[in-house]
């Protein structure tokens, strides 16, 4: 039996160099291959025309450039696309592409399922099955760029992630931004997310810079500083409630890291300034968190933090125990925040018709035995202890 080929996607430049030298290939090849893989999206070693044929053959004999399999692809009437992706072990996650006129964001998943159980979130009704590894996170970006036919052509286009303003006469890329807002809690899978984002940010490859990446967390306070120091990406906080009493109920992680601790971590977020504000996400739940008293308390809480507020109309899913606030209520809430000096756009739901909007993602690969579940929780506890996250 031949050994399975190692997938190159997800290796950083050091690891790639090591793999190549182990095969007797020269070190400098790593940069060439890197550029073929991440800048131009080559899927086949035979297309790497700057490499001699024997080198290409050696590579093909040992490595693959496999993408996840697409189990289902859907396109919304508003142009949003969703891919249900099957990983090598059969587990599935979703990624969503949200096009806008001069840019496009890919909403990337970090875990199969989620441990967080936020009450209004469809993914939260799904169990955590496992973390995605760096390769599976990067592969979501690769696959989207394949599907969108968004790879630059060697020698013709500007590198992939460069600013895409039309006046620069550069091609407008379909995928310019990344939001870590898919399935899972990225700060509970920090190592893999960080490894993946470093690859995505590398200027010689996918080149999607840190200012074009937003990581959203429901509030893993002790990991927030590290994320800022090491990655420097934009931060979004799923706040959703202004009292611990309510937040304990709808975002249960609040019992571990209450609002005060979370907001202190935001105040301390490296690089935060009026030019680089933290986004606070606030899902509008009818009769639950949408009163004017809530709006006032929100302004009080955020005082002193360079912030903008994203009001998200609740996106329904089958059996959800909430309704979306009325449009007029959301407007009034937003006006109050605006008057208090906060940019507070109301997020237009995208891809609702294909269940691709915020909080609607849920894959079918949910079956987890009690023993597996216990194992996952043990692993997470060990990880937390190792990262000093103990309660
Ligand atoms: N675990 C991370 C990443 C998920 S991001 C986090 O919690 O931030 C997805 C965003 O959509 C979060 O702000 C989440 O709270 C919000 N969301 C979840 N379910 C929703 C729903 N049904 N309607 C609107 N927004 C929802």
């Amino acid at each position: 039996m031949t050994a399975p080929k190692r997938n190159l996607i997800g290796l950083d430049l050091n690891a790639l160099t090591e793999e190549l030298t182990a095969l007797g290939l020269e070190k400098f090849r790593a940069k060439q291959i890197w550029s073929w893989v991440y800048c131009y999206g080559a899927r086949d070693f035979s297309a790497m025309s700057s490499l001699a044929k024997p080198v290409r053959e050696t590579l093909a004999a040992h490595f693959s450039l496999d993408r996840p399999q697409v189990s289902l692809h859907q396109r919304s009437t508003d142009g949003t696309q969703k891919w249900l992706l099957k990983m090598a072990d059969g587990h599935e996650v979703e990624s969503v592409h949200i096009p806008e006129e001069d840019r496009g964001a890919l909403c990337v998943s970090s875990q199969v399922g989620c441990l967080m159980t936020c009450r209004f979130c469809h993914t939260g009704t799904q169990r955590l099955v496992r973390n995605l590894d760096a390769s599976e996170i990067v592969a979501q970006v690769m696959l989207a760029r394949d599907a969108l036919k968004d790879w630059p052509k060697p020698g013709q286009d500007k590198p992939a992630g460069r600013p895409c303003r039309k006046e620069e006469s550069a091609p407008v890329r379909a995928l310019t931004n990344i939001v870590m807002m898919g399935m899972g809690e990225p700060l509970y899978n920090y190592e893999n997310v960080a490894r993946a984002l470093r690859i995505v940010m590398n200027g010689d490859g996918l080149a999607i810079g840190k200012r074009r990446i937003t990581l959203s967390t429901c509030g893993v306070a002790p990991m927030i500083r590290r994320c800022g120091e090491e990655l420097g990406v934009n931060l979004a906080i799923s706040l959703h409630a202004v009292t611990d009493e309510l937040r304990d109920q709808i975002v249960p992680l609040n019992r571990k890291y209450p609002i005060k601790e979370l907001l202190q971590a935001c105040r301390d977020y490296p690089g935060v300034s009026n030019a680089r504000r933290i986004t606070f996400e606030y899902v509008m739940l009818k009769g639950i968190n949408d009163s004017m008293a809530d709006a006032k308390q929100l302004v009080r809480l955020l005082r002193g933090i360079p912030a903008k507020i994203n009001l998200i109309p609740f996106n329904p899913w089958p059996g959800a125990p909430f309704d979306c606030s009325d449009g007029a209520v959301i407007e009034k809430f937003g006006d109050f925040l605006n008057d208090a000096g906060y940019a507070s756009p109301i997020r237009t739901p995208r891809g609702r018709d294909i269940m691709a909007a915020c909080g609607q993602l849920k894959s079918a690969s949910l079956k987890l035995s009690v023993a597996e579940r216990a194992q996952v929780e043990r692993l997470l506890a060990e990880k937390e202890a190792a990262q000093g996250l103990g309660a």
Side-chain angles (χ1 to χ4, degrees):
M1 223 179 80
T2 49
K5 293 181 189 175
R6 170 129 210 214
N7 195 342
L8 283 190
I9 293 172
L11 297 186
D12 63 21
L13 197 56
N14 283 339
L16 177 61
T17 310
E18 273 172 31
E19 291 282 340
L20 298 180
T21 43
L23 285 178
L25 297 173
E26 303 96 324
K27 270 192 184 165
F28 74 92
R29 299 275 179 219
K31 280 210 160 166
Q32 290 179 313
I33 296 166
W34 181 273
S35 157
W36 280 112
V37 174
Y38 292 117
C39 188
Y40 301 119
R43 306 190 56 176
D44 200 326
F45 294 103
S46 63
M48 300 184 177
S49 54
S50 60
L51 303 178
K53 196 155 175 249
V55 176
R56 285 183 260 159
E57 283 170 358
T58 308
L59 291 171
H62 291 87
F63 300 117
S64 75
L65 294 166
D66 287 344
R67 279 42 169 174
Q69 237 182 62
V70 179
S71 302
L72 182 68
H73 170 225
Q74 288 169 288
R75 185 190 291 270
S76 157
T77 49
D78 69 17
T80 300
Q81 297 187 63
K82 181 168 93 169
W83 295 273
L84 176 65
L85 302 176
K86 189 179 272 192
M87 302 298 157
D89 67 356
H91 286 307
E92 292 178 317
V93 294
E94 293 177 318
S95 355
V96 176
H97 178 252
I98 306 137
E100 281 170 48
E101 204 196 319
D102 57 351
R103 57 190 227 157
L106 186 72
C107 181
V108 172
S109 292
S110 57
Q111 298 180 312
V112 183
C114 192
L115 195 63
M116 297 293 106
T117 64
C118 299
R119 296 287 175 260
F120 45 83
C121 178
H122 204 199
T123 315
T125 64
Q126 176 176 355
R127 305 186 142 190
L128 175 70
V129 178
R130 69 169 174 83
N131 283 334
L132 294 181
D133 64 24
S135 159
E136 293 166 326
I137 296 169
V138 177
Q140 293 175 60
V141 183
M142 311 285 282
L143 184 124
R145 210 156 249 174
D146 293 345
L148 296 162
K149 300 198 179 6
D150 196 38
W151 292 106
K153 288 183 192 60
Q156 287 181 20
D157 291 350
K158 286 198 167 189
R162 293 287 151 77
C164 304
R165 285 180 213 102
K166 285 177 183 150
E167 61 270 21
E168 271 187 5
S169 76
V172 178
R173 304 236 86 86
L175 201 176
T176 56
N177 291 57
I178 302 275
V179 291
M180 292 304 301
M181 296 189 183
M183 296 161 68
E185 168 47 54
L187 293 188
Y188 267 116
N189 184 18
Y190 178 75
E191 302 294 344
N192 288 315
V193 167
R195 208 170 296 143
L197 290 183
R198 284 197 192 99
I199 292 172
V200 169
M201 291 190 280
N202 185 299
D204 295 322
L206 288 158
I208 300 175
K210 62 184 179 183
R211 294 185 184 231
R212 291 174 174 266
I213 300 178
T214 301
L215 183 145
S216 178
T217 176
C218 67
V220 190
M223 292 305 291
I224 287 178
R225 170 181 281 276
R226 205 171 147 202
C227 171
E229 276 168 358
E230 296 181 356
L231 303 175
V233 295
N234 302 315
L235 182 66
I237 302 285
S238 297
L239 189 62
H240 305 320
V242 293
T243 63
D244 282 325
E245 198 188 357
L246 177 61
R247 198 162 188 273
D248 280 351
Q249 294 307 314
I250 63 175
V251 183
L253 187 70
N254 195 68
R255 297 175 202 161
K256 199 162 181 184
Y257 307 120
I259 293 176
K260 198 165 167 222
E261 191 178 338
L262 175 58
L263 294 184
Q264 190 55 47
C266 293
R267 285 195 179 85
D268 298 341
Y269 191 66
V272 67
S273 68
N274 279 337
R276 291 204 76 198
R277 291 166 195 260
I278 295 176
T279 302
F280 288 87
E281 296 159 286
Y282 197 91
V283 63
M284 299 300 296
L285 304 171
K286 189 176 196 162
I288 304 283
N289 65 355
D290 60 354
S291 72
M292 289 318 286
D294 291 308
K296 282 183 193 145
Q297 179 60 10
L298 182 53
V299 169
R300 248 179 257 136
L301 280 178
L302 297 187
R303 198 161 289 149
I305 305 178
K308 54 189 169 198
I309 302 160
N310 230 230
L311 298 178
I312 316 180
F314 170 67
N315 292 308
W317 36 272
F322 299 106
D323 291 316
C324 183
S325 309
D326 293 335
V329 170
I330 303 179
E331 293 275 345
K332 199 170 150 208
F333 200 97
D335 288 346
F336 181 85
L337 300 175
N338 266 315
D339 291 345
Y342 291 98
S344 44
I346 300 168
R347 193 181 285 176
T348 316
R350 299 289 302 267
R352 264 187 179 173
D353 55 335
I354 55 166
M355 291 286 286
C358 297
Q360 292 188 312
L361 304 182
K362 174 174 172 170
S363 67
S365 60
L366 310 180
K367 298 202 184 67
L368 189 68
S369 70
V370 174
E372 283 171 320
R373 167 90 178 166
Q375 192 194 359
V376 166
E377 283 179 353
R378 252 199 325 276
L379 281 173
L380 271 177
E382 276 168 24
K383 261 194 115 163
E384 283 201 347
Q387 293 174 343
L389 296 189

